[in-house]
């Protein structure tokens, strides 16, 4: 199953986490270009490091927490020095607030609420070359 999270034994068999440097290293050869001992993962533009294991991307700070504690973290990470790429043990922790997905989640909640209220998106006719999208009440039909 692709949706299952990696087990601690699998993680420890594939990767080694250095608490001093905050880096993950592969224990096994992966694909032709990645050899045992190479640093794992890539840095996203957001500053977070991502490691792909068996086709599934994992945030490296979540893997580090799981690697050291044996439990998947809950909530959002906070970084003591503000550097999201610095995964030295003790530089980050997780608070108990639920993980949010920011503006995208807020938009979807708003969109679903409007649909439940009987509204639908509809382009507004204007002379502008850029269509204006507005919500329209559809509770009385689409006439």
């Amino acid at each position: 199953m692709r949706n299952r999270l990696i087990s601690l034994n699998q993680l420890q068999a594939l990767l080694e986490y250095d608490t001093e440097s905050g880096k993950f290293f592969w224990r096994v050869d992966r694909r032709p270009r990645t050899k045992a001992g190479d640093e794992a993962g890539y840095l996203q533009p957001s500053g977070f490091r991502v490691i792909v294991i068996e086709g599934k991307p994992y945030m490296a700070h979540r893997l580090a927490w799981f690697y050291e504690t044996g439990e998947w973290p809950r909530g959002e990470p906070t970084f003591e020095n503000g550097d999201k790429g610095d995964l030295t043990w003790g530089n980050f922790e997780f608070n108990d607030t639920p993980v949010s997905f920011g503006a995208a989640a807020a938009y979807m909640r708003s969109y679903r609420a409007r649909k439940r209220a009987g509204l639908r998106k509809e382009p507004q006719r204007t002379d502008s070359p850029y269509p204006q999208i507005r919500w329209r009440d559809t509770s009385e039909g689409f006439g």
Side-chain angles (χ1 to χ4, degrees):
M1 275 208 208
R2 270 179 85 84
N3 290 340
R4 287 179 64 196
L5 296 173
I6 191 169
S7 72
L8 184 58
N9 290 337
Q10 289 172 311
L11 178 62
Q12 291 173 339
L14 290 173
L15 293 167
E16 179 178 345
Y17 172 60
D18 180 8
T19 57
E20 298 285 321
S21 69
K23 295 181 180 180
F24 278 95
F25 299 96
W26 291 108
R27 290 182 189 259
V28 295
D29 290 347
R30 309 274 300 173
R31 299 191 177 127
R33 294 185 298 177
T34 306
K35 304 291 183 203
D38 288 352
E39 185 175 356
Y42 62 92
L43 204 58
Q44 288 185 323
S46 63
F48 288 106
R49 181 165 288 280
V50 175
I51 300 173
V52 179
I53 302 172
E54 296 177 6
K56 183 174 175 63
Y58 291 92
M59 302 300 280
H61 56 275
R62 298 183 70 77
L63 286 176
W65 189 271
F66 181 54
Y67 196 98
E68 288 297 308
T69 66
E71 295 180 6
W72 285 102
R74 298 178 140 194
E76 300 268 357
T78 54
F79 295 87
E80 188 174 306
N81 67 2
D83 181 3
K84 299 173 190 173
D86 181 3
L87 301 180
T88 54
W89 190 249
N91 180 48
F92 62 97
E93 63 183 9
F94 289 86
N95 54 34
D96 290 332
T97 58
V99 176
S100 75
F101 295 99
Y107 172 80
M108 286 308 296
R109 283 192 302 273
S110 164
Y111 179 81
R112 289 184 189 123
R114 288 177 175 159
K115 284 197 75 148
R116 280 193 301 271
L119 301 174
R120 74 174 178 141
K121 275 187 163 181
E122 177 176 278
Q124 187 177 19
R125 307 211 189 290
T126 64
D127 293 334
S128 170
Y130 305 103
Q132 300 290 316
I133 305 296
R134 299 281 188 240
W135 287 91
R136 186 175 145 236
D137 186 1
T138 59
S139 59
E140 296 179 18
F142 291 107

